Amino acid sequence: MTTRTAAPRAAIYARYSSDLQSAASIPDQVRLCRRLCEERGWTVVEVFADEAMSGASHLRPDFQRMQQTAMAGQFDVLVAEALDRLSRDQEHIAGLHKRMRFLGVEIFTKAEGAISEMHIGLGGTMSALFLRNLAEKTHRGLEGRVKAGKSAGGISYGYRLDRQPLPDCTYTTGDRVIDPVEAAIIRRIFTEYDRGRSARAIAIGLNRDGIPAPRSGGKGKGSWSFSTISGNWKRGTGILNNELYIGRLVWNRQRFVKDPDTGKRQARPNPPGDWITEEVPYLRIISDDQWTRVKQRQGAIREDILTERVANPNGPKIERGHRPRYLLSGLLTCGCCGSGYIMISDSRLGCAAARNSGTCLNRKTIKRSDVEARVLGGLKHHLMHPDLVAEFIAEFHREMEKDRREGEAGRVEAERALAKITKEIENIVTAITEGMFHPSMKAKMDALETQKAALEAKLAALPAPSPVILHPGIADVYAAKVSDLAAALNDAESRPEAVEILRGLIEKIVLRPDADAANGHVVELFGELGSILSLCGNEMGQNTKARSGATGLRQKTMVAGAGFEPAAFRL
């Protein structure tokens, strides 16, 4: 009796890459492999397929399932269209061949036939070179698109694709135009951040107003977060770091490499010398001045965080990145030990060292609202000093005089040009009357007459020169501006900007316990705000005696010859 050997069991593997082939490639590969199995008498027992998966990664679902099936001994030969369908990575294809050989499974492809060590060596090398060449060609092509001002992939928030028909019935690709709706949101974000609001507060406001976040497809899905706005300044990510908003296209800031263990892409920064920058002024949304102010504010916040990390390496990493909760948060200092005055209840301030470590004997407390009221009240009182009012009027006069001179300069220039053109017209008329007419003179005369009419119209539109006369109520205007200070600090819209400007003038505020002082404390203010208040002194640049007023503000120290240097004041 003759024993009949069963036909070898075959498993087919097919794959296509989304950037190279279409989904129809899978059925085509399977059909070709089935025909090959029929010709060789193999029985197809399983078909594995990975759609839109790169051959550079081995973490493909069916590729992994195929190997598990082989280890279970469920097929004898692995069939594919070509070796690069199985893998384009030298390490992975060598590992697959070694594993299949150990399991007694033959690898057979339509293109190469039975796979041996020679195919693995040469084929793996060719596939690796193919991937590298493909990456270089793709990079070169994208660089060309960027230099043409086009998108190299992806559209930033604030823009939309602009596809225009071409003569061959196709459409342009990579062209962008500003999206008016999203551009308004971009301007809102920059304006609010410029005024002192944090990225987190801005994100909360956008979500509260129901504004769709980037990549939400305009369907209301997703939400804004502080990282969407702040991003990473080194990598240029985030709304506030996108230079496209000032008409500058920056590309190739980073490259991506695949982790050989996980197959996931990881970003690696490129040196600035490799960046590609193109000016695209037609895509500008934000002015250069506002961009510069935002960058300066971001830099100041980073500097604060870095300073805090150096001073307190074991402390919270981002505590200095938080915005001050109250008007004078972080500026108040104990006059006894130098520690900060902190909130020890919902309304009162006290020495941090006395409360937390007991190293200071200052147990006096003061209401936060009283400190703020004394600082603002004293500021308002002294800003109304006659010397400051006089300085305001003088500055107003200088600005008005400057505008008047600029207007007169324009009039003088126009009159000079008109006199020159009138003289040329007279010369042409004289030449014609003396018999020297030429046909070209008519065209010249017409052009001069047009210029003359334009200059006469310009002069007629300019206001007649007049001396600068100050309105008798100009001092009242100044008083109103000072009175608006408290309102600006309490208004939800202008408060962040006003608070930041005011805090920038103050170096520190020292609170010293004194039973005879208001609220049990003498309040001393140090910093550039003291420089402003130094105008209130009767003897600028000289040491003066302390004097008090109705508001409880009195000048304490003025260093001889200091002028506008930082000074100290008691409130």
Side-chain angles (χ1 to χ4, degrees):
M1 182 176 180
T2 303
T3 303
R4 184 176 179 180
T5 305
R9 298 165 299 169
I12 296 175
Y13 180 83
R15 177 190 64 82
Y16 81 92
S17 299
S18 58
D19 57 341
L20 296 177
Q21 297 168 312
S22 67
S25 174
I26 292 291
D28 292 341
Q29 293 179 49
V30 173
R31 183 174 57 254
L32 185 148
C33 291
R34 283 189 181 278
R35 186 180 303 122
L36 178 63
C37 292
E38 291 175 1
E39 294 172 354
R40 294 189 167 267
W42 298 336
T43 302
V44 177
V45 295
E46 188 79 59
V47 174
F48 304 93
D50 285 309
E51 299 183 4
M53 302 289 288
S54 170
S57 170
H58 68 291
L59 299 177
R60 290 167 268 152
D62 264 24
F63 184 76
Q64 293 295 327
R65 190 167 66 87
M66 175 266 293
Q67 295 184 73
Q68 293 172 1
T69 304
M71 288 188 285
Q74 296 182 17
F75 62 87
D76 307 307
V77 58
L78 176 61
V79 182
E81 179 189 30
L83 191 61
D84 59 13
R85 295 301 87 199
L86 293 168
S87 178
R88 287 188 179 275
D89 184 274
Q90 288 176 294
E91 178 186 359
H92 299 158
I93 192 64
L96 176 66
H97 180 263
K98 185 183 296 184
R99 189 172 297 109
M100 293 298 106
R101 186 174 180 181
F102 172 76
L103 296 172
V105 176
E106 181 184 6
I107 301 177
F108 199 97
T109 68
K110 174 67 176 177
E112 295 91 0
I115 300 302
S116 64
E117 286 80 358
M118 181 185 68
H119 294 98
I120 295 300
L122 294 178
T125 301
M126 295 303 296
S127 292
L129 291 175
F130 169 81
L131 288 176
R132 180 164 183 169
N133 291 335
L134 178 63
E136 292 176 351
K137 290 177 181 178
T138 302
H139 191 275
R140 183 171 65 249
L142 292 176
E143 181 178 343
R145 290 171 66 89
V146 171
K147 288 185 174 295
K150 295 179 178 288
S151 170
I155 300 295
S156 296
Y157 185 80
Y159 305 93
R160 58 178 173 80
L161 281 174
D162 182 31
R163 304 194 67 187
Q164 298 296 328
L166 296 173
D168 61 354
C169 298
T170 60
Y171 288 86
T172 58
T173 60
D175 293 323
R176 291 166 291 192
V177 293
I178 295 174
D179 185 307
V181 176
E182 293 184 354
I185 305 303
I186 296 296
R187 296 188 186 97
R188 168 179 169 173
I189 291 172
F190 272 83
T191 299
E192 291 186 1
Y193 191 86
D194 188 20
R195 289 178 176 177
R197 298 196 72 185
S198 67
R200 192 181 302 276
I202 295 172
I204 292 173
L206 294 172
N207 291 326
R208 182 189 61 240
D209 295 342
I211 297 172
R215 294 186 297 274
S216 66
K219 299 179 181 179
K221 298 179 180 178
S223 60
W224 292 86
S225 68
F226 74 94
S227 61
T228 307
I229 296 172
S230 291
N232 185 310
W233 66 278
K234 289 184 177 181
R235 294 181 177 177
T237 59
I239 298 291
L240 296 177
N241 301 312
N242 192 343
E243 295 187 48
L244 193 58
Y245 297 143
I246 55 171
R248 185 181 303 133
L249 176 58
V250 181
W251 180 73
N252 203 39
R253 287 177 178 267
Q254 59 188 14
R255 65 188 186 279
F256 292 91
V257 296
K258 285 190 177 181
D259 187 320
D261 296 325
T262 65
K264 294 182 178 180
R265 297 199 313 166
Q266 294 187 359
R268 300 283 177 81
N270 287 329
D274 291 345
W275 296 0
I276 305 298
T277 304
E278 289 295 323
E279 298 296 330
V280 284
Y282 56 91
L283 295 179
R284 175 187 290 274
I285 296 177
I286 301 300
S287 68
D288 287 333
D289 290 342
Q290 189 173 53
W291 175 269
T292 300
R293 291 195 301 271
V294 166
K295 293 294 106 180
Q296 289 173 345
R297 183 161 183 259
Q298 286 181 306
I301 293 173
R302 287 194 299 270
E303 184 65 26
D304 282 349
I305 296 174
L306 180 61
T307 302
E308 179 65 19
R309 287 180 179 178
V310 173
N312 185 17
N314 298 321
K317 297 298 184 182
I318 60 172
E319 61 180 88
R320 294 287 294 179
H322 295 298
R323 305 305 186 278
R325 184 175 182 182
Y326 302 109
L327 173 61
L328 303 177
S329 295
L331 299 176
L332 303 173
T333 303
C334 175
C336 298
C337 68
S339 299
Y341 253 54
I342 61 173
M343 296 295 298
I344 60 174
S345 70
D346 59 348
S347 63
R348 302 193 69 85
L349 295 158
C351 175
R355 177 178 176 83
N356 297 331
S357 62
T359 57
C360 181
L361 299 179
N362 177 17
R363 296 287 180 177
K364 294 289 186 179
T365 64
I366 184 172
K367 291 183 68 175
R368 174 182 59 82
S369 58
D370 289 340
V371 177
E372 293 179 356
R374 287 170 67 176
V375 170
L376 294 179
L379 175 62
K380 180 178 177 181
H381 172 76
H382 282 269
L383 284 177
M384 287 307 301
H385 190 279
D387 290 346
L388 283 180
V389 175
E391 178 62 24
F392 171 80
I393 294 175
E395 180 63 24
F396 183 85
H397 185 276
R398 285 191 289 269
E399 288 298 319
M400 292 291 292
E401 182 67 21
K402 178 181 176 182
D403 291 342
R404 185 185 67 81
R405 286 197 301 270
E406 291 177 353
E408 288 185 354
R411 174 177 289 278
V412 170
E413 183 180 352
E415 290 176 346
R416 186 182 297 114
L418 179 60
K420 180 180 179 181
I421 289 175
T422 302
K423 183 66 174 177
E424 292 183 16
I425 293 175
E426 292 175 353
N427 291 338
I428 292 176
V429 172
T430 300
I432 292 175
T433 57
E434 293 178 358
M436 294 185 292
F437 175 77
H438 189 274
S440 62
M441 290 182 175
K442 183 179 184 306
K444 178 67 172 177
M445 178 70 80
D446 291 341
L448 291 173
E449 290 290 352
T450 301
Q451 295 179 34
K452 180 180 179 181
L455 287 171
E456 289 175 342
K458 179 179 179 180
L459 286 169
L462 289 175
S466 61
V468 175
I469 301 176
L470 291 180
H471 192 278
I474 189 65
D476 296 333
V477 174
Y478 175 78
K481 294 293 185 183
V482 175
S483 298
D484 287 343
L485 175 63
L489 289 170
N490 291 319
D491 181 72
E493 291 297 325
S494 60
R495 176 181 171 85
E497 183 179 11
V499 166
E500 187 160 326
I501 293 173
L502 182 62
R503 288 174 58 86
L505 298 172
I506 300 173
E507 178 185 339
K508 65 179 178 178
I509 297 175
V510 177
L511 286 82
R512 194 180 308 277
D514 187 336
D516 298 329
N519 311 117
H521 283 79
V522 170
V523 181
E524 299 174 321
L525 183 150
F526 294 79
E528 296 301 327
L529 189 54
S531 301
I532 295 177
L533 297 180
S534 67
L535 286 173
C536 306
N538 291 327
E539 299 176 15
M540 293 271 295
Q542 302 295 325
N543 291 330
T544 62
K545 295 181 179 180
R547 51 190 174 84
S548 59
T551 62
L553 174 90
R554 59 184 184 274
Q555 181 176 333
K556 180 195 176 192
T557 305
M558 284 295 294
V559 181
F564 287 116
E565 292 299 317
F569 290 84
R570 288 187 180 183
L571 300 107

